[in-house]
Amino acid sequence: MSSAGNYFIRTASRRDLPAVRALLVETWHDTYDSIYGAARVGEITDSWHSPEALEARLGQPNSEFVIADNGSEIAGMAYAVSGEGGRALHLQQLYVLPARQRLGIGRALLAEIEDSFPEAREIRLEVEEANASAIAFYMANGFSRLGRADAADQTAGSLPALIYGKTL
């Protein structure tokens, strides 16, 4: 377990899910309303960040679901899944409340995810091209752009994205 300021990074549990959902809804609206519009962001968060979708992540094999918690607030979350026999890691989510960004919470969440998969040799993620602050965060943490997720590579309901990665 690592920490960032007064926040400790720990594995998420079922009781954390309402706060995690609220964090995701707030963060998504703050980040993506200007890109996709509030109505579309509401649809996405209702689907991708529903209580059922979040609960399904808790028991997913070869995954880690962590949160930044100070005892009274959950300020960030990250979720990753390993593949290729544990050698590849896909960071599917890393979000920090807008009011708590730039405090080291995102960096601590990323470090915990990386430490949770010691056999991993690479980590990849997808990020919305218009999300300049997320791209800057990942680049500051050693990621580089690998390409673009083509429409043929994306699952139904996914959004266009850039692919970033780094060697661990």
Side-chain angles (χ1 to χ4, degrees), residues 57 59-65 78-93 112-125 168:
R57 290 180 181 96
Q60 186 72 23
N62 306 313
S63 71
E64 190 64 39
F65 186 163
Y79 177 72
V81 178
S82 72
E84 297 180 30
R87 293 181 308 276
L89 187 56
H90 184 243
L91 180 65
Q92 295 186 350
Q93 296 177 296
E112 184 67 26
I113 288 291
E114 291 174 359
D115 290 347
S116 295
F117 298 91
E119 67 285 352
R121 299 294 167 248
E122 70 174 335
I123 182 170
R124 290 186 178 208
L125 59 92
L168 298 175

Side-chain angles (χ1 to χ4, degrees), residues 31-47:
T31 304
Y32 296 112
D33 278 4
S34 64
I35 299 169
Y36 299 116
R40 177 69 177 128
V41 171
E43 292 170 8
I44 292 168
T45 58
D46 284 349
S47 172

Side-chain angles (χ1 to χ4, degrees), residues 50-107:
S50 69
E52 298 80 17
L54 293 174
E55 188 165 349
R57 290 180 181 96
L58 288 175
Q60 186 72 23
N62 306 313
S63 71
E64 190 64 39
F65 186 163
V66 295
I67 59 171
D69 184 1
N70 70 358
S72 62
E73 175 184 60
I74 293 175
M77 64 80 63
Y79 177 72
V81 178
S82 72
E84 297 180 30
R87 293 181 308 276
L89 187 56
H90 184 243
L91 180 65
Q92 295 186 350
Q93 296 177 296
L94 193 157
Y95 294 99
V96 176
L97 285 172
R100 302 292 181 261
Q101 293 175 2
R102 294 173 179 52
L103 300 176
I105 295 168
R107 187 177 306 262

